[in-house]
Amino acid sequence: MAKKFLIPLAATILFTGLTPAVGQADQVSNVQKEIDRIKKESQAAKGKISAINQQINSVQAQQQSTKEDIMSIDLKMNETQAKIQELDKKIEETTASLKEAAKQLQEAIIRVEKRDKLLKTRVSAIYEAGDISYLEVLLGSQDFSDFLERLDAVKSIVDQDVTILEDNKRDRDIIAEKKKQIEEQLKSLKAMQAEAQQLADQLEAQKQERERILKELEKQEGELLEIKEEQEKASLELVNQLQAKIEEQRRAEEERRRASSSDAGSWSPPPVHSGGQFVQPVSGRISSPFGYRVHPILHTRKFHDGTDFAAPQGTPIYAAAEGVVASAGYMNGYGNTVVIYHGNGLSTLYGHIRHGGIVVSEGQSVSAGQKIAEVGSTGRSTGPHLHFTVIKNGQKVDPMSYLR
Ligand SMILES: [Zn+2]
């Protein structure tokens, strides 16, 4: 993973205009140097966070395209599957029709065979009788009534022979037609089976392609998790730096106050949170609590580092306790964010503030319940809500233990 960050130069110096009294000037300037150092460090941390953000965006864009690839291959696979089903149905129909044609062919052959046999026995009977023709039968009649009887008999034999011959001709036509039909159907069946094989191969290739893409997606997920962990560390680092900066500023003010007795009493030290209950930062129901949660679809465990309060866009957000604004601006996945330091290593973070919704600035002292911002949906957010994180000595803790 590339780790290139921009380190912005020249951080603005907060207390440059002040001139401490001689004797304590060195101490004050040392504190000021420390503040400047921390400021540079936090600028670097901010740069690091924004570089990580770019990485996250790029991996997420890759993921989006990978997901689209999966969708497109799923659609292709559906198509192939539908073609295979259609073909299977056709093959089944052709096979049934082929079986029926074969049965009809067999029956026609049997019928012809039977008739041929009948004709043969009749012909051989005539031969056995000594080459007697129909005419001879008629000429051999005793009298006219005998002649009529014989004529009737001969006529019926002739009729039967004609019927047999005609039936045979019809059946022979059927045989020829069925043979041709079977030949054609066998040919098309063969073609269909080849096509089915081709489609099955295609489906298998698509399956393998899908597996490959899924693995790619998994890799990207892992990468993203890694980057996010890094981002998490960087943003905590930043909050710690901001806390240290405020502590240093407090010390600087105290030194300065001791140095110049003239304006004693005009300065009050930044407030320190006594450890009591917080003010509710926004009015809204809890939509997602602090802690691990399982993604409903992906079934992946994810750590949620704060409490989410669902509230309409523009709802006022209040400082949970008195303190100093340590940071006010865009911060990684939290979007527009305010961080307030309450002293004693305790900070609160308010995320997803609407564009233009921050009403305090860095270094400003705020009292408990003072409006600091308005609810929005900036950063990684799906709808307007306040993401509220409590940081105690560099650890993210459950905000509810301060709110109940
Ligand atoms: Zn949240």
Side-chain angles (χ1 to χ4, degrees), residues 293 304-308 352 385 387-388:
R293 56 184 176 191
H304 186 228
D305 67 6
T307 305
D308 286 348
H352 309 309
H385 74 282
H387 173 96
F388 181 59

Side-chain angles (χ1 to χ4, degrees), residues 15-185:
F15 298 107
T16 39
L18 298 168
T19 48
V22 187
Q24 290 183 308
D26 282 356
Q27 225 171 337
V28 171
S29 86
N30 279 345
V31 173
Q32 190 55 56
K33 269 183 198 154
E34 185 57 17
I35 290 171
D36 292 346
R37 189 189 62 76
I38 294 168
K39 272 189 175 178
K40 269 184 190 153
E41 267 180 20
S42 7
Q43 287 298 340
K46 276 181 187 170
K48 188 175 173 180
I49 288 168
S50 92
I52 292 170
N53 265 334
Q54 275 174 13
Q55 283 182 359
I56 288 175
N57 287 345
S58 136
V59 174
Q60 277 173 340
Q62 278 173 25
Q63 267 188 334
Q64 190 52 39
S65 121
T66 309
K67 279 174 188 165
E68 275 163 20
D69 285 351
I70 288 178
M71 206 171 82
S72 125
I73 200 138
D74 277 347
L75 290 177
K76 274 187 202 156
M77 282 172 81
N78 280 347
E79 233 171 75
T80 312
Q81 199 69 58
K83 273 187 198 164
I84 288 173
Q85 267 170 9
E86 201 184 311
L87 200 58
D88 279 351
K89 205 179 144 210
K90 258 194 204 162
I91 288 173
E92 208 175 287
E93 280 168 6
T94 310
T95 307
S97 148
L98 195 62
K99 267 187 193 159
E100 181 57 30
K103 196 181 148 218
Q104 284 171 3
L105 174 68
Q106 190 57 29
E107 281 167 0
I109 288 170
I110 289 167
R111 283 199 301 271
V112 169
E113 268 174 3
K114 270 186 185 161
R115 287 192 206 101
D116 278 351
K117 217 171 168 183
L118 191 67
L119 283 173
K120 224 180 250 169
T121 43
R122 203 191 293 277
V123 169
S124 60
I126 291 168
Y127 276 127
E128 273 159 23
D131 206 17
I132 302 166
S133 70
Y134 297 136
L135 191 62
E136 278 173 286
V137 172
L138 290 176
L139 290 177
S141 39
Q142 308 286 319
D143 48 35
F144 188 63
S145 88
D146 185 29
F147 172 80
L148 285 179
E149 261 175 42
R150 282 176 183 235
L151 185 65
D152 246 8
V154 166
K155 198 172 172 283
S156 98
I157 289 166
V158 170
D159 281 352
Q160 266 183 32
D161 285 357
V162 167
T163 308
I164 289 169
L165 288 169
E166 275 173 2
D167 285 351
N168 262 2
K169 194 195 171 292
R170 211 174 42 243
D171 273 343
R172 285 211 168 91
D173 286 349
I174 289 173
I175 288 167
E177 186 208 311
K178 291 294 160 193
K179 273 185 179 168
K180 200 178 152 210
Q181 189 187 333
I182 286 166
E183 207 174 293
E184 273 167 9
Q185 282 179 335

Side-chain angles (χ1 to χ4, degrees), residues 324-329 338-339 358-366 372:
V324 179
V325 176
S327 164
V338 169
V339 178
I358 296 176
V359 299
V360 289
S361 50
E362 266 183 47
Q364 185 183 331
S365 287
V366 292
I372 53 163

Side-chain angles (χ1 to χ4, degrees), residues 213-274:
I213 300 172
L214 269 181
K215 272 198 189 120
E216 178 68 25
L217 193 66
E218 246 168 59
K219 206 186 109 207
Q220 288 167 344
E221 293 279 4
E223 213 175 302
L224 205 57
L225 217 67
E226 217 176 287
I227 303 172
K228 279 182 182 168
E229 264 169 33
E230 213 178 309
Q231 188 191 46
E232 179 87 348
K233 268 187 224 152
S235 60
L236 255 181
E237 199 182 311
L238 180 64
V239 169
N240 290 339
Q241 283 164 357
L242 293 170
Q243 288 185 359
K245 189 182 81 179
I246 290 165
E247 290 292 359
E248 286 298 331
Q249 282 169 343
R250 188 202 306 278
R251 273 179 56 197
E253 284 292 351
E254 276 165 5
E255 293 294 343
R256 209 168 286 119
R257 200 165 160 263
R258 243 176 273 158
S260 63
S261 51
S262 58
D263 63 343
S266 70
W267 178 76
S268 55
V272 171
H273 182 62
S274 57

